[in-house]
Amino acid sequence: MAKHRGRGMAAINYPIGMNLGGDPSQALVHSNPSGKFTVALSSIDLGQGMKSVTRQICAETLGVPVEDVYVDTADSDTGPHCMGSFASRGTHRVGNAVMAAAREARGVMMEAAAEELEVNASDLETDGRGNIHVKGAPHRSIAVKDVAIAAQFKQGKTISGRGIFLVPLSEVDPETGEMSPATCYAHACLVAEIEVDDETGEVAMVRMDSAYELGRALNPKLVEQQLVGGAWMGVSHALYETPEPYYPDPSHGPRDFNEYVMPGPGDICPHDIAVLERPAPDGPFGGKGPGEMCANPVLPAVANAIFNAIGVRINDLPITPEKVLRALKAQGGARPQARR
Amino acid sequence: MSKTPVQFRHNGVDVAVFVDGGANLLTAIREGVGDTAPKFGCGQGTCGVCTVLIDGEPHLSCITLAEAVAGRSVETADGLKNGPDLHPLQRAFMEHFAAQCGFCTPGMLMAAKALLDKNPAPSRAEVVEAIGGNICRCTGYEPIINAVLAAASAGPGRQRA
């Protein structure tokens, strides 16, 4: 009885968003009389930080401080339409819609400022700190707050903008089945090192090394957080989680967290991540988004590492101790493969 | 069914609530006291989101009888802050991005507080042990462990009197 180390690798690409009905998401941006901006969305932040990223995108496009933007994801009955937070589409799809809406709102804001400063709007620029001034003449300046007040109470304008992301529906070639289901792809490569106990069938993670290419990382800390946590969920899918673990009868399946097994803090391993940034031409400021892709390479990498360690191919997930032991028995013991 | 009065200290304040016979502490805190910091997760003591401290010891409030805390002191994540000042653990959780969806956070904070109150300089293994009964779905635990270690290394004076 022994423990066997193995190493496995997997490389994937992952489509950002999808193309069912054009994958639309809409955004509305408007200023309040205080000069602060509200982004109205029906998109939901599931915790990965879509509200933070759309706030950054809006502030950057408007040319105002990020503190002056509030993202409201309140209500899909009253907000602009969104397909939803799935398919890793939030940053790219919703971000593009917010960018378009903010661009239109910026146009109105600059026109209103131009009227107050009695200059041409094309001669104005924002300083990113809440002011608008004449290019090359920073003393000819007006605060965004005063522009908002003037628009609201004097000029009778709403500083607002509408944005939508929509891709043309991709037709399927009836002969070949060829189509273009996505507009951009993220990529990942991951090496997993594991240890298999051939007495218990347990697989322990030893370490992971990965590289993710996800366009520009619009918020590097949030990207890192998503990659660390997402890879761990990949481990959970590879080795632990299943509603029908061992037996064909579903009534033997797990009923609660005692039986539906998930890794705890004692099961984690070191994970070294490299983030490669190749800005997407059609992404908001080049962003694609890490999304679901962060979990995906872990599963094949772990399965490959198990083959490398004990010489058995297990083709259905999760790779539970019982499956490992059954496979070892069928093979007549562990056959460690060449170490790569 | 008749209700039973239970008096206990909740985050330093004496409270009294009426509970059904057999009611759990989590319900008494959330619905009786109105403190929704401890969450209802699995309801059977396996996920850790309902963790509170009773006389400084971590307990799973969903499987603790409300009547069992009569006359005792209960702390929840809602009591960590001091006015506008966050507890060092809360600050460390923010700075180390130790929350994504945030549902496990109140339980993680209390499990970590129970550790640091007793052991101000824990090892990494001791932190893992202390939060071992708490499940997190988002972070992969690494940022949480790092946050607890950072709060510990913030040094003496970090604990509020």
Side-chain angles (χ1 to χ4, degrees):
Chain A
M1 297 300 159
K3 290 186 174 179
H4 305 275
R5 284 259 173 128
R7 197 180 285 158
M9 191 268 274
I12 64 156
N13 64 3
Y14 191 84
I16 300 299
M18 55 206 295
N19 194 2
L20 301 174
D23 207 14
S25 277
Q26 298 184 16
L28 298 172
V29 170
H30 73 271
S31 94
N32 308 320
S34 59
K36 314 273 187 197
F37 288 82
T38 300
V39 183
L41 299 172
S42 293
S43 323
I44 297 301
D45 189 336
L46 301 170
Q48 297 95 333
M50 193 210 59
K51 281 178 87 169
S52 303
V53 168
T54 48
R55 186 184 192 199
Q56 289 175 257
I57 290 170
C58 182
E60 187 71 22
T61 308
L62 285 168
V64 303
V66 75
E67 304 82 60
D68 289 354
V69 175
Y70 174 75
V71 179
D72 179 12
T73 57
D75 188 345
S76 57
D77 280 345
T78 56
H81 171 254
C82 178
M83 283 285 279
S85 296
F86 59 90
S88 311
R89 63 190 295 286
T91 297
H92 189 275
R93 276 23 181 173
V94 182
N96 266 318
V98 168
M99 204 167 166
R103 209 180 281 130
E104 187 172 288
R106 179 184 162 95
V108 182
M109 176 178 81
M110 298 305 252
E111 288 293 340
E115 201 166 318
E116 292 307 298
L117 291 173
E118 297 174 23
V119 295
N120 194 308
S122 62
D123 291 332
L124 293 175
E125 63 187 3
T126 46
D127 69 355
R129 295 194 298 273
N131 303 296
I132 299 168
H133 61 245
V134 176
K135 287 175 191 168
H139 59 282
R140 291 277 291 147
S141 174
I142 184 169
V144 171
K145 168 171 61 75
D146 295 323
V147 177
I149 291 170
Q152 190 92 358
F153 298 107
K154 199 167 108 193
Q155 302 176 13
K157 279 181 186 158
T158 61
I159 298 181
S160 62
R162 305 149 298 170
I164 182 166
F165 180 89
L166 182 71
V167 282
L169 188 61
S170 174
E171 299 294 341
V172 183
D173 185 315
E175 296 297 319
T176 63
E178 187 180 341
M179 66 180 295
S180 301
T183 63
C184 72
Y185 290 83
H187 309 87
C189 183
L190 186 138
V191 177
E193 192 164 348
I194 55 95
E195 190 173 72
V196 184
D197 185 325
D198 67 9
E199 185 173 3
T200 64
E202 281 174 295
V203 178
M205 298 301 297
V206 176
R207 67 170 290 119
M208 292 188 282
D209 292 276
S210 64
Y212 290 91
E213 191 286 297
L214 34 75
R216 180 172 289 162
L218 300 183
N219 187 318
K221 283 305 283 185
L222 288 178
V223 166
E224 181 191 328
Q225 185 187 46
Q226 174 74 359
L227 296 178
V228 171
W232 197 248
M233 190 178 275
V235 169
S236 196
H237 291 320
L239 298 176
Y240 294 84
E241 292 180 45
T242 174
E244 293 182 25
Y246 310 125
Y247 307 107
D249 183 347
S251 71
H252 293 145
R255 293 158 297 187
D256 52 43
F257 287 142
N258 286 315
E259 295 166 352
Y260 186 91
V261 188
M262 284 192 280
D267 302 311
I268 66 173
C269 70
H271 181 188
D272 193 59
I273 298 172
V275 174
L276 310 175
E277 297 181 76
R278 293 187 177 173
D282 71 339
F285 299 103
K288 298 175 185 173
E292 297 172 29
M293 171 199 66
C294 54
N296 294 359
V298 182
L299 286 71
V302 166
N304 287 338
I306 290 169
F307 175 75
N308 185 233
I310 55 174
V312 298
R313 279 274 169 217
I314 297 174
N315 295 323
D316 58 321
L317 295 165
I319 305 173
T320 57
E322 177 152 348
K323 287 180 191 169
V324 171
L325 288 180
R326 284 184 194 280
L328 280 172
K329 194 175 173 190
Q331 185 178 254
R335 281 186 217 147
Q337 304 296 300
R339 183 99 164 137
R340 286 170 297 183
Chain B
M1 197 161 68
S2 65
K3 303 243 182 189
T4 308
V6 179
Q7 294 185 46
F8 58 98
R9 262 182 114 68
H10 170 263
N11 293 330
V13 176
D14 287 323
V15 294
V17 295
F18 286 97
V19 300
D20 292 324
N24 63 46
L25 176 60
L26 179 64
T27 307
I29 294 171
R30 288 181 59 88
E31 293 170 16
V33 180
D35 171 7
T36 54
K39 303 298 176 205
F40 180 87
C42 64
Q44 56 183 186
T46 53
C47 74
V49 293
C50 67
T51 304
V52 301
L53 305 192
I54 302 174
D55 293 338
E57 292 289 336
H59 284 266
L60 299 162
S61 61
C62 78
I63 52 167
T64 301
L65 283 175
E67 292 171 49
V69 302
R72 300 171 75 181
S73 171
V74 175
E75 292 170 67
T76 74
D78 194 48
L80 287 175
K81 65 185 190 304
N82 185 9
D85 298 327
L86 293 179
H87 188 277
L89 271 167
Q90 292 173 307
R91 271 206 309 277
F93 268 57
M94 279 174 60
E95 284 161 11
H96 290 80
F97 285 70
Q100 271 192 40
C101 84
F103 200 76
C104 76
T105 308
M108 289 286 183
L109 285 169
M110 298 319 285
K113 181 174 190 293
L115 171 71
L116 296 191
D117 284 350
K118 284 200 180 64
N119 179 358
S123 68
R124 192 180 173 84
E126 286 168 333
V127 172
V128 167
E129 176 73 25
I131 63 168
N134 297 61
I135 294 175
C136 171
R137 192 61 162 147
C138 307
T139 63
Y141 302 106
E142 187 75 30
I144 297 174
I145 297 167
N146 291 339
V148 177
L149 289 169
S153 65
R158 68 195 159 69
Q159 296 295 347
R160 159 162 83 87

